[in-house]
Amino acid sequence: MAFVYRYSKMAEGMRPSPIRELFKMTQRPGMISFAGGLPDPAIFPVEEFAVCAEALRTQGTTALQYGASEGHRPLVDEIQRRMEPLLGRPIVPEEIVISSGSQQAMDMLARVLLDPGDVVVVEAPTYPGALHTFRSAGARLALVPCDEHGMKVDLLPDVIERCRRETGRVPKLIYTIINFSNPSGACLSEARRRRLAGIARELAIPVLEDDPYGELRYRGERIPTLFSLAGGGVMFASSFSQILAPGVRVAWAVAEAELIRKMVIAKQGMDLCTSVVAQVLVAEYCSRGFLESHLEKIRSHYAGKAAAMASALREHLPPSVRFAEPSGGFFFWLELGGDSRQLFERALEQGVAFLPGPAFYPEPAETVGEVVDGGPYARLCFTFAQGTEIVEGTKRLARALEQA
Ligand SMILES: Cc1ncc(COP(=O)(O)O)c(C=O)c1O
């Protein structure tokens, strides 16, 4: 009681993540789940990780001690080496911070950048964890709709202008998932990346380029990062969650050194440092060359699963359900032609779970400008399902659709 009447305004505004709540309903026995955005545990590199654990014999005293808030230096060096070709210029260690998941990197950025009432521009639909972070910082969200090529960047200047008119503020940040977005699977085209970089530069609005799925391209050529195209004003964030294992809780962000320094100070108030044990193991995993071979393995494994889901959806769902086959990442985004919330209930009865579209849009009350309704959409994750589950789950979804 001493606590519950004294919650902060921020805590009062906090709501449970809809995904985490729905997730509980998807855990029933016999349920096929396309709901969680989870990697396939069947190909976690358990043996290689066990080999890397040998490093604890030689580096145990470092691994078991507090570490630098900036990150374990050998891992920072690995990330520097991996990032330079992607980011298009030399990177110095002072421009890198290791975070406890990229969720934390987002939170660190929000803490140093956002005041209550500030506006963040996000694409719609977008990653609910980002919405949670921006909401917790007291920010409101301005939405730019997406199509199969990602954010409709042509609409961005109007969204910014409307935000200026309605709130008197220029947005503080643009948040975008450029590759194989969660949830839409869309990849921002190069032309749009160039235009987005140009608009952000012209209006001096910083950009958070969230890229956990960029290494998981199954078809086509890699597109240059926004960071490399913008020449400044972009923070790039990525994670080992999707390419190695989310249980390690190790991710990283790259940005100008002054911003990273501030974020490190914010991190010191959050967890002092990311688990050094985890960082030592991940650094060892990278330096032994395991990551490169694992990436090759998961790309072909997930490409097969994406193709299996595409053909199951084509075969079993009515043609009124539209989707684009993703070229990478974890997700299919379906346009149902009906309401996904009702379909969700019927799908659970049939024994299959997905995530209804509204989970990926902010509430009208926290939106500046145009509100977008996620009702007609559904996200299906294809990476987690095992064996015949992709086909069987799709058949169950088709049965739920027939009951409409
Ligand atoms: C787009 C996006 N950003 C960030 C995250 C957070 O990842 P983590 O905190 O595990 O690094 C996720 C996880 O699903 C995501 O999809």
Side-chain angles (χ1 to χ4, degrees):
M1 282 306 190
F3 291 101
V4 293
Y5 293 119
R6 290 170 174 78
Y7 286 153
S8 65
K9 290 221 163 23
M10 186 197 285
E12 274 165 10
M14 280 178 187
R15 285 188 304 283
S17 147
I19 294 204
R20 298 250 143 224
E21 292 302 297
L22 292 176
F23 200 66
K24 289 181 206 153
M25 301 163 77
T26 69
Q27 301 293 296
R28 297 182 200 154
M31 184 73 70
I32 294 177
S33 182
F34 300 144
L38 308 180
D40 186 346
I43 54 163
F44 281 155
V46 176
E47 284 309 316
E48 289 87 340
F49 231 70
V51 169
C52 294
E54 279 295 310
L56 295 180
R57 295 197 192 283
T58 51
Q59 300 174 49
T61 52
T62 304
L64 296 175
Q65 189 54 280
Y66 286 114
S69 307
E70 291 82 355
H72 177 56
R73 187 56 191 257
L75 183 60
V76 170
D77 292 345
E78 277 295 335
I79 285 167
Q80 175 186 14
R81 194 181 54 72
R82 291 183 63 81
M83 285 293 98
E84 282 185 344
L86 279 184
L87 299 184
R89 67 164 174 81
I91 304 293
V92 294
E94 292 72 24
E95 292 176 301
I96 299 172
V97 61
I98 307 287
S99 56
S100 305
S102 50
Q103 189 66 40
Q104 187 190 45
M106 250 181 267
D107 205 6
M108 283 148 65
L109 182 67
R111 287 189 195 207
V112 304
L113 210 64
L114 300 177
D115 289 311
D118 279 340
V119 180
V120 178
V121 174
V122 299
E123 58 218 8
T126 193
Y127 169 57
L131 294 177
H132 192 104
T133 296
F134 301 142
R135 184 183 297 131
S136 299
R140 284 171 297 164
L141 291 313
L143 311 185
V144 186
C146 289
D147 61 16
E148 68 274 24
H149 304 295
M151 182 194 284
K152 291 183 177 172
V153 175
D154 278 353
L155 303 179
L156 181 59
D158 286 347
V159 169
I160 294 170
E161 184 45 41
R162 183 161 173 189
C163 171
R164 204 196 319 245
R165 266 201 325 273
E166 289 184 13
T167 69
R169 297 176 191 225
V170 174
K172 267 278 185 73
L173 180 70
I174 299 170
Y175 170 74
T176 182
I177 308 160
I178 62 299
N179 290 311
F180 322 118
S181 167
N182 179 2
S184 73
C187 192
L188 193 67
S189 69
E190 178 163 352
R192 289 189 186 181
R193 288 181 197 208
R194 289 188 184 279
R195 177 120 168 82
L196 174 52
I199 295 169
R201 193 173 38 238
E202 208 174 290
L203 300 175
I205 303 176
V207 180
L208 168 51
E209 175 178 29
D210 188 13
D211 190 24
Y213 303 101
E215 296 276 13
L216 300 177
R217 174 177 278 286
Y218 315 134
R219 286 184 289 140
E221 293 294 307
R222 196 191 273 279
I223 304 174
T225 56
L226 266 182
F227 189 105
S228 66
L229 296 172
V234 175
M235 181 176 115
F236 178 94
S238 191
S239 176
F240 287 100
S241 289
Q242 291 75 8
I243 57 173
L244 172 53
V248 295
R249 307 310 300 138
V250 178
W252 67 95
V254 185
E256 53 205 66
E258 183 56 33
L259 173 64
I260 293 292
R261 217 173 62 81
K262 263 284 191 243
M263 285 173 49
V264 166
I265 297 169
K267 182 174 165 68
Q268 287 166 354
M270 298 163 113
D271 65 357
L272 303 181
C273 64
T274 294
S275 160
V276 189
V277 173
Q279 292 185 76
V280 164
L281 293 181
V282 173
E284 190 70 12
Y285 186 83
C286 295
S287 69
R288 285 176 182 250
F290 287 145
L291 184 61
E292 297 313 322
S293 51
H294 185 62
L295 273 171
E296 271 173 39
K297 184 171 159 189
I298 59 176
R299 279 187 202 114
S300 81
H301 182 72
Y302 289 154
K305 285 191 156 189
M309 183 166 266
S311 62
L313 293 174
R314 276 192 206 102
E315 186 175 341
H316 299 292
L317 297 197
S320 56
V321 175
R322 289 157 31 128
F323 64 90
E325 188 174 342
S327 307
F330 279 16
F331 307 110
F332 277 76
W333 183 240
L334 308 187
E335 192 179 340
L336 298 169
D339 193 89
S340 57
R341 285 160 285 218
Q342 288 154 22
L343 180 67
F344 178 70
E345 302 295 332
R346 294 197 303 273
L348 289 186
E349 282 162 24
Q350 291 294 334
V352 63
F354 64 87
L355 280 184
F360 304 95
Y361 296 81
E363 299 285 329
E366 60 194 10
T367 306
V368 173
E370 199 144 339
V371 172
V372 185
D373 174 32
Y377 301 98
R379 187 193 78 177
L380 270 51
C381 172
F382 58 83
T383 47
F384 181 68
Q386 301 297 314
T388 55
E389 286 185 343
I390 287 184
V391 172
E392 176 56 27
T394 306
K395 286 184 185 166
R396 292 182 187 181
L397 187 61
R399 283 202 291 274
L401 275 160
E402 273 166 25
Q403 292 169 350

